[in-house]
Amino acid sequence: MMDYVNNLPAMDLMRSEKMMFAQLIIPVESAHRAVSYLGQLGLLQFRDLNDDKSPFQRTFVNQVKRCAEMSRKLRFFKDQIQKAGLLPSSLPSSQPDFELEELETRLSDHEHELIEMNANSEKLQQTYNELLEFKMVLQKAGDFLISGGSSATQETELEENVFINSDYADAGSLLEQEMQHGTSHQSGVKFISGIICKSNIMRFERMLFRTTRGNMFFNQARTDDHIVDPATNEMVEKTVFVVFFSGEQSRKKILKICEAFGANCYPIPEDLTKRRQITGEVLSRLSELETTLEAGLRHRDAALNSIGFHLTKWIIMVKREKAIYDTLNMLNFDVTKKCLVGEGWCPVFAKDKIQEALQRATFDSNSQVGIIFHVMDSTELPPTYFRTNDFTNPCQEIVDAYGVAKYQEANPAVYAIVTFPFLFAVMFGDWGHGICLLLGALYLIAREKRFSSQKLGSFMEMLFGGRYVLLLMSLFSVYCGFIYNEFFSVPFHIFGPSAYRCRDATCSDARSVGLIKYRATYPFGVDPSWRGSRSELPFLNSLKMKMSILFGVAQMNLGIILSYFNARYFNNPLDIKYQFIPQMIFLNCLFGYLSLLIIIKWCTGSQADLYHVMIYMFLSPFENLGENKLFWGQSVLQVILLLLAMIAVPWMLFPKPFILKRRHTEIPRPHLWSSWNFRCVQ
């Protein structure tokens, strides 16, 4: 038997690839291209020969900083494109690559252009918002003044009003005349008009009332249009207000409150003719600004579209360049400062591919000196590398998420390709949901070429990467759904009529009266009559729980058996004697015995309580089983299994650590006095 096992052919995925340690001596002029080609190949893992240096002490730190700065600019471009509601190209442009310096210049020019356009747009938008607010105040506050029937003269009303936003003095010649007109010694009722955010209007009015002690009259009106906030690019609803008051002290207090609440105050003449003339001038300015803003937005969108067409390609270029210089920082300069020395691990099968890539880098860089690839011996443990494809890669990533196998250890992903989707189906078996999942997996597989060339979101990318795992999960779910006889949790008579019927002819409610078996057992899966019966929950829960125990014990045995093959492969009899054997004994004496009881109970139809059997196996091992007895000699077998399990615990825990400690202390080491005597003799 052992000879047969030893003569089995080796599996490609069963163990990681054999690795070799190599040293590379690369001329400076071809170093960048060589690392780029090796990165595209993806079969060489460099060691960091400068781990004693900080990132700022390394050779190519300036190039890394430049790449980081370019990455910041690219993120800025991406944010601007998203803010403008545009979609960048998901595919990289087909233009040829250019040098890093040229790309850096392009990105700087685009950034300065965008910053300038954004600044001009914000200024124009702010001016437009202020004119729009002025127009709203003219319309709404003018209605208050007309309805109030104020008897003050035109000279008084303009002099008593307050102007905070003096930028609007340039809105028109008539407005300038109104601001310069009047005297400063008038008295009587004064007013301040302005606009404020709707969310602050209640607190604003309350503060005015308390500050003036009620000596004011407050009017407000909701605006018809919303105003765009240039900072957040969101629509803000505002309210126009007019505050009537008396006295200079009240005016100062009201102005401070307006400033604190962010309210903008605007001059409103009480004369209807002047108000109409100023409104006309404001509308004219608004029309001009709208035209200017639209032209600016079109120019900005055109610039962003041009950037978005190349954005994906630029991001890939910058990431690649940063990765290249990060790798170059892991290499050492030789004493002549003309070559870079690197060390790394690569699979044995990739030696020819790596040498071909290095030769191509030497030729493309027009270097007069070739790159030296030298295989070396190393005492370090090589890294683990598994060759995967589209089908096996998702399962390998699932296994690596829990832990990466040691070099040349058995690869659990080989078994997870089947066990993971099957155990999923055991938990969520339903052939209705399985068909839906199957259709989704088939759609991803059918559009494989299209999706592989597109840039997908994180969730969609995860689904597409695991499309073959989803396919297996769906197939196993359909299979387990037929066993459970569940189609969206509804049973169907797929494989024939039920084996149960009502107790008598007058039975009309099988759920309350109960069922009797009158024909052969349902040929495949769970009989549909179990659904809705009084014993549905105990029966189905017991079935799924016991089946889960069997699968769990089988999977644990598989893991322990893999540890045996690892110990044989690494020629480690200590793990076989003090790890594999006691673990197998302990697991199968307890849980393996429980699995045997489950199978016997299913086959015999016994009514034994397995909970009672397992509990009293520990509490009262010599007690008579009574009606829970499943086979002859069960009591004696339980005592033997319990003793074996108790022996396996210290066998598994204690010998191996002490043996390893003894081996460690027996290793000969050089003594300090011997080395001191040797130096004295010299």
Side-chain angles (χ1 to χ4, degrees):
M1 181 65 181
M2 297 306 299
D3 294 337
Y4 173 76
V5 173
N6 293 332
N7 293 329
L8 288 176
M11 295 175 58
D12 291 337
L13 293 176
M14 187 62 191
R15 299 194 182 275
S16 61
E17 296 291 335
K18 292 185 178 180
M19 308 292 287
M20 63 181 181
F21 188 71
Q23 184 184 56
L24 284 77
I25 302 177
I26 311 172
V28 174
E29 61 270 13
S30 58
H32 182 279
R33 201 174 296 271
V35 173
S36 176
Y37 290 168
L38 290 175
Q40 294 174 7
L41 193 62
L43 293 174
L44 182 64
Q45 177 180 325
F46 283 97
R47 288 180 56 197
D48 190 1
L49 302 180
N50 299 312
D51 54 355
D52 56 334
K53 297 181 180 179
S54 68
F56 301 100
Q57 295 175 335
R58 307 205 176 195
T59 307
F60 300 95
V61 61
N62 292 328
Q63 287 82 352
V64 174
K65 289 180 179 179
R66 290 167 59 190
C67 292
E69 179 65 18
M70 286 189 286
S71 298
R72 182 197 63 78
K73 294 176 182 178
L74 291 172
R75 290 193 300 269
F76 170 71
F77 296 154
K78 188 175 181 180
D79 293 340
Q80 291 296 312
I81 291 174
Q82 293 177 350
K83 187 177 180 181
L86 304 176
L87 294 176
S89 176
S90 59
L91 298 176
S93 60
S94 57
Q95 292 185 356
D97 292 343
F98 37 85
E99 296 297 330
L100 187 65
E101 290 76 11
E102 184 180 355
L103 176 61
E104 188 175 14
T105 304
R106 285 193 182 188
L107 296 182
S108 298
D109 293 341
H110 286 304
E111 184 187 26
H112 294 155
E113 182 183 6
L114 275 179
I115 291 176
E116 185 177 357
M117 285 191 293
N118 289 339
N120 294 334
S121 178
E122 288 180 3
K123 290 180 180 179
L124 289 174
Q125 186 65 46
Q126 185 177 2
T127 305
Y128 179 82
N129 289 344
E130 292 173 351
L131 285 174
L132 186 61
E133 290 179 351
F134 192 17
K135 184 197 75 171
M136 295 176 181
V137 173
L138 284 170
Q139 293 175 349
K140 300 296 181 179
D143 297 339
F144 296 147
L145 296 178
I146 293 175
S147 61
S150 176
S151 59
T153 62
Q154 296 177 6
E155 293 81 9
T156 303
E157 63 191 5
L158 285 180
E159 177 60 24
E160 300 302 331
N161 203 351
V162 180
F163 307 98
I164 290 181
N165 292 345
S166 60
D167 296 338
Y168 296 103
D170 300 330
S173 58
L174 182 61
L175 187 57
E176 293 178 356
Q177 295 175 6
E178 294 297 336
M179 293 177 62
Q180 297 172 358
H181 186 72
T183 61
S184 59
H185 299 286
Q186 304 293 333
S187 60
V189 177
K190 309 171 185 178
F191 68 90
I192 294 176
S193 57
I195 193 168
I196 192 174
C197 290
K198 182 183 176 183
S199 57
N200 297 332
I201 190 65
M202 296 299 295
R203 295 184 293 115
F204 178 66
E205 182 179 3
R206 189 180 299 112
M207 181 62 69
L208 289 174
F209 184 84
R210 292 177 178 176
T211 304
T212 60
R213 298 184 179 182
N215 295 321
M216 65 93 185
F217 184 73
F218 187 84
N219 273 336
Q220 60 174 306
R222 184 181 302 177
T223 58
D224 299 330
D225 301 325
H226 292 183
I227 298 176
V228 179
D229 188 354
T232 61
N233 204 23
E234 296 180 354
M235 303 299 292
V236 180
E237 187 176 0
K238 295 199 173 185
T239 301
V240 175
F241 66 89
V242 177
V243 183
F244 295 93
F245 61 92
S246 177
E248 183 65 19
Q249 294 297 326
S250 298
R251 182 184 70 85
K252 293 180 180 179
K253 292 179 181 179
I254 293 173
L255 288 178
K256 289 183 179 179
I257 294 174
C258 291
E259 183 180 358
F261 279 85
N264 297 327
C265 300
Y266 298 93
I268 303 298
E270 192 170 350
D271 181 65
L272 182 59
T273 303
K274 292 183 180 180
R275 195 161 60 243
R276 287 177 178 176
Q277 291 177 356
I278 295 177
T279 303
E281 295 177 5
V282 171
L283 291 176
S284 176
R285 288 288 304 279
L286 283 174
S287 178
E288 295 175 0
L289 281 176
E290 285 179 359
T291 305
T292 307
L293 281 173
E294 290 177 358
L297 289 177
R298 285 195 300 268
H299 179 62
R300 182 169 173 268
D301 290 345
L304 290 176
N305 281 324
S306 176
I307 294 173
F309 181 73
H310 304 284
L311 184 62
T312 303
K313 180 181 179 63
W314 291 345
I315 291 175
I316 294 174
M317 285 183 59
V318 172
K319 286 183 178 180
R320 184 177 66 231
E321 291 295 324
K322 188 175 186 300
I324 290 172
Y325 286 114
D326 284 335
T327 305
L328 288 174
N329 278 329
M330 300 171 67
L331 310 184
N332 263 340
F333 270 105
D334 69 337
V335 292
T336 63
K337 298 294 183 180
K338 295 182 179 180
C339 294
L340 286 169
V341 180
E343 297 177 355
W345 293 94
C346 65
V348 174
F349 74 87
K351 181 178 179 181
D352 295 336
K353 296 181 180 179
I354 292 175
Q355 289 179 337
E356 180 184 355
L358 295 177
Q359 292 174 2
R360 186 156 47 94
T362 302
F363 177 78
D364 293 344
S365 59
N366 298 323
S367 176
Q368 301 298 324
V369 182
I371 301 174
I372 300 175
F373 181 83
H374 176 58
V375 179
M376 301 174 58
D377 295 330
S378 177
T379 58
E380 296 182 4
L381 184 66
T384 302
Y385 174 75
F386 293 106
R387 271 193 288 185
T388 59
N389 50 37
D390 292 339
F391 186 82
T392 60
N393 185 62
C395 293
Q396 188 68 58
E397 289 184 353
I398 292 173
V399 172
D400 292 344
Y402 291 93
V404 179
K406 191 174 68 174
Y407 177 65
Q408 290 284 288
E409 272 189 341
N411 185 14
V414 177
Y415 307 95
I417 293 173
V418 175
T419 59
F420 178 80
F422 179 72
L423 292 179
F424 169 85
V426 170
M427 294 184 289
F428 305 104
D430 187 304
W431 61 279
H433 292 96
I435 290 175
C436 297
L437 188 60
L438 176 63
L439 294 176
L442 292 176
Y443 174 76
L444 293 175
I445 295 173
R447 299 295 184 93
E448 183 173 351
K449 292 183 179 180
R450 177 182 176 184
F451 287 143
S452 59
S453 61
Q454 291 181 352
K455 184 178 180 182
L456 306 174
S458 58
F459 180 72
M460 191 63 188
E461 185 178 0
M462 180 184 64
L463 289 181
F464 178 70
R467 56 194 179 277
Y468 293 107
V469 176
L470 293 177
L471 177 64
L472 293 179
M473 290 165 58
S474 62
L475 294 176
F476 284 128
S477 294
V478 172
Y479 171 73
C480 291
F482 282 131
I483 292 179
Y484 298 154
N485 200 348
E486 290 187 2
F487 178 80
F488 297 108
S489 299
V490 178
F492 281 87
H493 295 77
I494 303 174
F495 302 102
S498 173
Y500 298 90
R501 65 180 180 182
C502 292
R503 190 182 303 275
D504 50 39
T506 61
C507 172
S508 60
D509 190 0
R511 300 183 181 180
S512 59
V513 177
L515 301 172
I516 59 173
K517 187 174 182 180
Y518 75 101
R519 57 184 300 164
T521 305
Y522 195 69
F524 186 83
V526 176
D527 194 301
S529 295
W530 284 105
R531 291 290 179 182
S533 64
R534 289 177 295 179
S535 55
E536 174 192 4
L537 190 61
F539 171 75
L540 292 180
N541 283 356
S542 177
L543 169 67
K544 295 180 180 181
M545 181 186 67
K546 291 181 174 64
M547 189 167 57
S548 300
I549 292 174
L550 295 179
F551 286 132
V553 173
Q555 194 169 17
M556 286 189 287
N557 275 286
L558 174 62
I560 298 176
I561 292 172
L562 287 180
S563 69
Y564 166 75
F565 285 104
N566 283 332
R568 288 189 68 249
Y569 182 83
F570 293 111
N571 193 20
N572 191 352
L574 189 65
D575 287 347
I576 297 177
K577 294 178 182 178
Y578 302 106
Q579 182 172 316
F580 167 72
I581 295 177
Q583 285 180 354
M584 289 294 291
I585 292 174
F586 182 81
L587 175 65
N588 291 288
C589 285
L590 298 180
F591 300 102
Y593 174 63
L594 175 60
S595 302
L596 177 65
L597 295 181
I598 291 173
I599 295 174
I600 294 176
K601 183 177 179 180
W602 279 350
C603 296
T604 61
S606 172
Q607 299 296 322
D609 186 359
L610 299 186
Y611 291 107
H612 184 276
V613 172
M614 294 303 297
I615 291 174
Y616 282 90
M617 177 180 174
F618 294 92
L619 297 181
S620 301
F622 301 102
E623 183 181 353
N624 186 18
L625 295 174
E627 60 182 8
N628 293 321
K629 185 176 181 180
L630 290 170
F631 56 90
W632 180 84
Q634 182 180 355
S635 299
V636 178
L637 179 62
Q638 287 188 174
V639 174
I640 295 174
L641 294 177
L642 184 60
L643 291 176
L644 289 175
M646 293 175 63
I647 294 172
V649 173
W651 185 3
M652 178 172 48
L653 295 178
F654 297 112
K656 183 179 176 181
F658 287 109
I659 293 174
L660 291 177
K661 181 181 179 181
R662 188 188 65 185
R663 290 181 180 179
H664 180 72
T665 55
E666 290 177 355
I667 297 176
R669 299 184 181 183
H671 297 285
L672 293 177
W673 63 271
S674 299
S675 59
W676 181 80
N677 289 335
F678 179 74
R679 289 195 299 270
C680 290
V681 171
Q682 287 183 332

